[in-house]
Amino acid sequence: MTRHTDDDGDVGESNEATESSDGGYEGPTPGVPESGRDEQPSVFVPDEGGVAETDATAGDRAATDGGVESASAGADSTELDPDAYDPVDVFPGGDLDLREGADSCYKCTSCDTSCPVAEVDDEFPGPKFQGPEQWRLKRKDDHDIDESITSCSNCMRCDDACPSGVPLSQMHNEARGQFVERQMEKLSVEYIRNRVLANYRTSASLASMFPRTASFAMNFGPARWAMEKVMGIPKERDFPEFATETFREWWKARGGAQVENPDKRVAYFHGCYSNYNTPEVGKALVSVYEHFGYEVMVPPQKCSGTPMFANGMLKDARRHAETNVENLVEAIADGADVIASCTSCSLSLRQEYPELFDLHGIDDVAEHTFEALEYLRIHEDLEEALDEAGGLDDERAFAYHAPCHARNQGLSRQAVETFRDVDGVKMEDVGDSCSGISGTYGWKEEKYEKSMEIGAEMFEHMEDAEGEVGMTECPTCAMQMEHGTGYEIEHPLQLLEDALGA
């Protein structure tokens, strides 16, 4: 131990060794200097107890690791040359390189606690595994996608719950698509059933040729029993009736738009369900928008792809997206914004399309797409218009459910806020629970009981509400609401049409 005096004259102690006359060191093994390791000359001690060196005495000695001289005379550690190395790509990139998103996950499990499927299915590992963890695993060529990805309902509540902005649903869609493409047996009953459900537009277009016959046949008892045994479609579900006149047939017979206004144009993306099953929703939209002076365009279109994403049929979804984007971009060029009466359709166009497909104009479509009521709330003074209209003549009470895909777009309260002050209307929000059907999820025999268990909270709140008419923007949520309560279900646009007298 030696004593030293610092610049201020204070006396301290140090563990540093003293140098002997022959250049060696005496005393204890060098320790950590009091003023900190980073501020002192480093001391090199050979493994076999040879002479130690400081930075000053090391001179031209090559850099070493563990006492072994570097073969490159120190160039690999003292003067790093990036050009001398080949970078190792641990996670190879691709069309959907989500490494940055995966790295943002810090395992808080907010997504897992918000997942309605994980709440009722103990075997489902949850969004965190299906998202960033599985994404990392499948970067390896020999790793298969876990089959549990098919239990994800694609409600996308995990996106809304994540505080770090991890693209969970995008990861789920990519993983599900890879599982279906590479691992699912294409002749299996499950694949065929899922393919039929995912391509509802095809079956609906055929059924609409003979709507009354199709509606009867698809709900005929023996036929339903056979569908469950052969296809795995639960017999408890009631197929929606097909309209005797589709929306597009009505639109053509009507002569198209009745208002011409190049300064206020919208392109209506009606989707499959409003066309084949509930054309009254599309008619209400046209009536309301023309009431506000909009020119409504109805461009050629196919399915938004929502049921295809949920079933991993990404090639099918891309084919439909190509047609939709091409026609919607043309409408946008004519000065129109895109509106959808189904929140799943609007979410697909504005989020899932640009996440999954690289198509010309796809970002323009996403930027110009809105949910129909959302668009009016942005561009029109609905409160004033409803006040001037005077409300409803007869008081009506509604039990409103916000679809998961509305919540993901920040639209969970729009119907309640629009109608809460309208005379003759009582609007009750039945809570933030998922309806449970999640598109095609509840139409699978093995998922039916789970879908009803998820929806139980919503059913209970609806029955406790004052009204016996339900309301939602999502057609499949409407199916579930009616199925679980027996209530009549309306779309907010239908109530808006009545309240405005449009």
Side-chain angles (χ1 to χ4, degrees):
M1 184 76 67
T2 61
R3 298 178 66 83
H4 67 273
T5 303
D6 60 21
D7 294 339
D8 296 329
D10 294 330
V11 178
E13 294 184 350
S14 171
N15 284 325
E16 69 180 49
T18 57
E19 186 174 4
S20 63
S21 59
D22 60 1
Y25 282 82
E26 297 178 343
T29 302
V32 180
E34 185 178 67
S35 57
R37 181 185 301 275
D38 293 340
E39 302 174 15
Q40 300 297 317
S42 61
V43 179
F44 170 73
V45 181
D47 292 342
E48 302 301 326
V51 177
E53 299 175 343
T54 65
D55 286 347
T57 59
D60 297 330
R61 188 185 186 283
T64 64
D65 183 8
V68 179
E69 277 198 22
S70 168
S72 60
D76 58 345
S77 56
T78 58
E79 296 180 4
L80 294 178
D81 182 6
D83 296 333
Y85 297 89
D86 292 325
V88 177
D89 196 352
V90 179
F91 296 117
D95 293 339
L96 297 172
D97 187 1
L98 303 177
R99 179 179 180 181
E100 182 177 352
D103 289 347
S104 296
C105 173
Y106 58 90
K107 304 182 185 300
C108 70
T109 71
S110 292
C111 57
D112 289 345
T113 57
S114 71
C115 175
V117 176
E119 186 176 356
V120 301
D121 186 353
D122 293 337
E123 296 182 358
F124 183 63
K128 180 165 66 67
F129 171 78
Q130 301 296 355
E133 292 179 8
Q134 180 139 259
W135 186 86
R136 291 188 183 97
L137 289 173
K138 72 185 181 69
R139 296 302 91 191
K140 301 179 180 180
D141 293 336
D142 60 345
H143 180 79
D144 288 338
I145 301 297
D146 192 88
E147 187 176 2
S148 62
I149 190 64
T150 60
S151 292
C152 168
S153 67
N154 201 39
C155 71
M156 301 170 72
R157 291 172 75 100
C158 51
D159 282 353
D160 197 39
C162 179
S164 302
V166 176
L168 290 154
S169 63
Q170 184 179 2
M171 292 176 173
H172 300 163
N173 278 328
E174 184 191 352
R176 191 162 42 243
Q178 185 173 320
F179 175 83
V180 170
E181 180 70 19
R182 302 181 185 180
Q183 297 170 230
M184 184 176 280
E185 174 55 53
K186 301 306 182 291
L187 296 179
S188 66
V189 171
E190 181 182 10
Y191 178 83
I192 295 172
R193 187 267 315 275
N194 292 358
R195 189 75 183 271
V196 171
L197 291 175
N199 286 273
Y200 177 73
R201 181 180 183 275
T202 300
S203 56
S205 62
L206 294 173
S208 67
M209 297 177 181
F210 309 96
R212 291 187 178 91
T213 302
S215 297
F216 172 78
M218 296 184 75
N219 285 295
F220 184 53
R224 297 312 318 280
W225 180 87
M227 285 184 194
E228 180 172 279
K229 296 301 180 183
V230 177
M231 296 286 290
I233 297 176
K235 61 181 182 296
E236 293 87 353
R237 290 281 178 201
D238 295 322
F239 274 93
E241 291 188 0
F242 294 97
T244 55
E245 182 184 48
T246 68
F247 171 78
R248 295 193 73 89
E249 289 171 345
W250 170 83
W251 179 257
K252 182 178 180 180
R254 181 182 191 253
Q258 302 297 301
V259 174
E260 293 186 10
N261 189 345
D263 296 325
K264 295 179 71 173
R265 281 179 176 166
V266 290
Y268 179 31
F269 190 89
H270 50 69
C272 304
Y273 202 78
S274 289
N275 185 43
Y276 297 110
N277 300 97
T278 57
E280 60 271 14
V281 173
K283 294 175 185 179
L285 180 144
V286 172
S287 177
V288 168
Y289 269 78
E290 288 186 344
H291 176 81
F292 284 104
Y294 286 90
E295 179 181 347
V296 179
M297 306 165 64
V298 182
Q301 58 194 260
K302 292 186 177 180
C303 178
S304 68
T306 297
M308 300 168 192
F309 295 138
N311 288 281
M313 311 291 178
L314 297 188
K315 289 185 177 179
D316 290 352
R318 184 183 180 90
R319 284 194 292 270
H320 287 246
E322 288 172 350
T323 297
N324 293 335
V325 171
E326 179 181 357
N327 289 298
L328 294 177
V329 164
E330 184 176 340
I332 292 169
D334 288 336
D337 286 318
V338 181
I339 57 171
S341 53
C342 169
T343 48
S344 293
C345 289
S346 60
L347 183 65
S348 181
L349 296 177
R350 73 203 302 186
Q351 178 176 328
E352 290 176 300
Y353 274 24
E355 284 182 346
L356 296 170
F357 304 132
D358 183 15
L359 300 173
H360 173 70
I362 204 164
D363 290 330
D364 288 334
V365 171
E367 182 180 352
H368 287 272
T369 295
F370 302 84
E371 193 277 332
L373 183 57
E374 172 196 21
Y375 190 81
L376 288 175
R377 283 165 54 84
I378 293 172
H379 295 281
E380 305 296 333
D381 190 342
L382 286 186
E383 183 177 353
E384 180 179 349
L386 289 168
D387 284 343
E388 292 178 356
L392 301 181
D393 294 333
D394 299 321
E395 187 168 324
R396 302 176 65 190
F398 298 89
Y400 172 73
H401 165 74
C404 295
H405 289 176
R407 297 180 182 280
N408 293 342
Q409 299 172 78
L411 307 177
S412 62
R413 296 281 298 173
Q414 66 170 3
V416 175
E417 293 171 355
T418 299
F419 299 110
R420 63 187 171 190
D421 296 325
V422 175
D423 290 340
V425 175
K426 182 176 178 59
M427 188 73 60
E428 293 183 64
D429 192 331
V430 296
D432 63 356
S433 61
C434 177
S435 74
I437 193 170
S438 290
T440 62
Y441 176 85
W443 279 91
K444 301 172 183 178
E445 190 272 333
E446 70 274 15
K447 304 291 195 304
Y448 173 75
E449 292 298 335
K450 293 183 178 67
S451 76
M452 295 302 288
E453 188 176 349
I454 293 170
E457 182 179 342
M458 182 191 69
F459 303 146
E460 182 180 352
H461 288 171
M462 286 184 67
E463 291 170 354
D464 289 339
E466 182 176 326
E468 293 188 358
V469 176
M471 178 169 287
T472 189
E473 297 94 333
C474 174
T476 54
C477 286
M479 291 182 203
Q480 181 81 328
M481 295 166 77
E482 183 178 4
H483 182 63
T485 64
Y487 290 3
E488 175 189 352
I489 311 298
E490 289 191 13
H491 192 285
L493 289 171
Q494 293 173 275
L495 176 57
L496 185 58
E497 180 186 28
D498 292 342
L500 290 171

